[in-house]
């Protein structure tokens, strides 16, 4: 029997997440395993000294960009598949930049933050354009995780919270356009955890 309570349960984020996970679940598991393999391969290549440091980082970013572009192409006709590929490509780029920063010190915390944030902005814009709430949620989560991947102790408090202000502003903009109010709640939770770091 249909009721308002049933509608409320159906519309909950928890249920929506599992519905999203159930759709094309094999592809999502495959993408997750490829991401793990990508991270392992990058680490192993670094340890074995197969390619020079600049070559390793360049190859990692190029592979991530290629997957990102394939995802951009696929999302036009197959939203779920495209979103998974966009997530995979973005994850590959972030892992590569993280490795470049932490292992070789190629980037300063600020430059790595800017590069990673550019990837997150791209995901956020794609989520709005193709109406993918899952992609928007991932972009938000990555937006709050990025400072931890850029050696956060070396970020100034002012720089960190200016960055978080920009992320929160982006979340409000996306929520205003799409009506996905859950993103604002998740953003507040992220700010709450970072407030512990400040004090």
């Amino acid at each position: 029997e249909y009721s308002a309570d049933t509608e409320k349960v159906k519309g909950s984020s928890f249920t929506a997440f599992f519905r999203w996970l159930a759709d094309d679940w094999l592809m999502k598991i495959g993408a997750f395993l490829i991401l793990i393999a990508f991270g392992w391969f990058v680490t192993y290549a670094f340890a074995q000294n197969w390619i020079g440091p600049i070559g390793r980082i360049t190859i990692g970013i190029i592979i991530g960009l290629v997957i990102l572009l394939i995802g951009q192409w696929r999302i036009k006709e197959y939203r779920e598949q495209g979103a998974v590929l966009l997530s995979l490509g973005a994850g590959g780029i972030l892992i590569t930049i993280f490795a470049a920063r932490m292992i070789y010190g190629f980037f300063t915390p600020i430059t790595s933050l800017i590069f990673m944030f550019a990837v997150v902005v791209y995901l956020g814009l794609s989520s709005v354009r193709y109406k993918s709430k899952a992609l928007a949620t991932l972009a938000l989560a990555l937006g709050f995780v990025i400072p931890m991947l850029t050696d956060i102790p070396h970020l100034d408090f002012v720089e960190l919270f200016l960055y978080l202000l920009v992320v929160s502003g982006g979340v409000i903009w996306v929520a205003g356009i799409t009506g996905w109010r859950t993103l604002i709640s998740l953003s507040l939770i992220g700010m709450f955890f970072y407030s512990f770091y400040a004090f």
Side-chain angles (χ1 to χ4, degrees):
E1 185 181 344
Y2 182 83
S3 68
D5 290 334
T6 307
E7 180 64 26
K8 197 177 291 183
V9 171
K10 280 184 178 179
S12 70
S13 299
F14 190 71
T15 309
F17 171 75
F18 280 103
R19 255 199 319 266
W20 171 82
L21 198 61
D23 189 28
D24 283 336
W25 64 274
L26 276 174
M27 183 177 183
K28 286 166 186 155
I29 290 174
F32 179 68
L33 293 175
I34 289 171
L35 189 60
I36 291 173
F38 183 81
W40 176 85
F41 175 75
V42 169
T43 307
Y44 190 75
F46 286 2
Q48 298 300 314
N49 205 23
W50 287 347
I51 310 167
I54 295 175
R56 297 169 191 169
I57 301 307
T58 304
I59 289 170
I61 291 175
I62 288 172
I63 290 172
L65 282 173
V66 167
I67 296 172
L68 205 65
L69 291 173
I70 293 171
Q72 185 66 49
W73 170 65
R74 289 294 288 172
I75 200 171
K76 294 174 184 175
E77 293 184 29
Y78 304 97
R79 190 170 65 180
E80 293 296 326
Q81 289 182 12
V84 170
L85 290 169
L86 281 170
S87 305
L88 180 62
I93 294 171
L94 294 185
I95 287 172
T96 303
I97 294 174
F98 168 72
R101 162 74 194 139
M102 300 305 291
I103 296 176
Y104 293 111
F106 277 176
F107 305 114
T108 65
I110 291 296
T111 52
S112 56
L113 188 75
I114 290 169
F115 288 141
M116 289 182 177
F117 182 64
V119 175
V120 168
V121 168
Y122 183 77
L123 285 183
L125 292 174
S126 295
S127 74
V128 172
R129 183 176 179 185
Y130 298 105
K131 298 177 176 59
S132 173
K133 189 175 181 182
L135 203 56
T137 305
L138 176 67
L140 170 62
L142 290 175
F144 277 101
V145 167
I146 282 172
M148 299 175 195
L149 302 178
T150 57
D151 201 8
I152 194 171
H154 289 91
L155 283 175
D156 183 80
F157 280 131
V158 175
E159 294 167 347
L160 174 61
F161 281 94
L162 275 174
Y163 166 78
L164 294 174
L165 179 65
V166 171
V167 171
S168 299
V171 169
I172 292 169
W173 177 77
V174 170
I177 289 177
T178 60
W180 298 331
R181 308 291 182 218
T182 314
L183 297 178
I184 296 176
S185 302
L186 293 173
S187 175
L188 289 172
I189 292 170
M191 290 296 290
F192 175 74
F193 281 112
Y194 272 106
S195 66
F196 283 112
Y197 175 75
F199 300 106

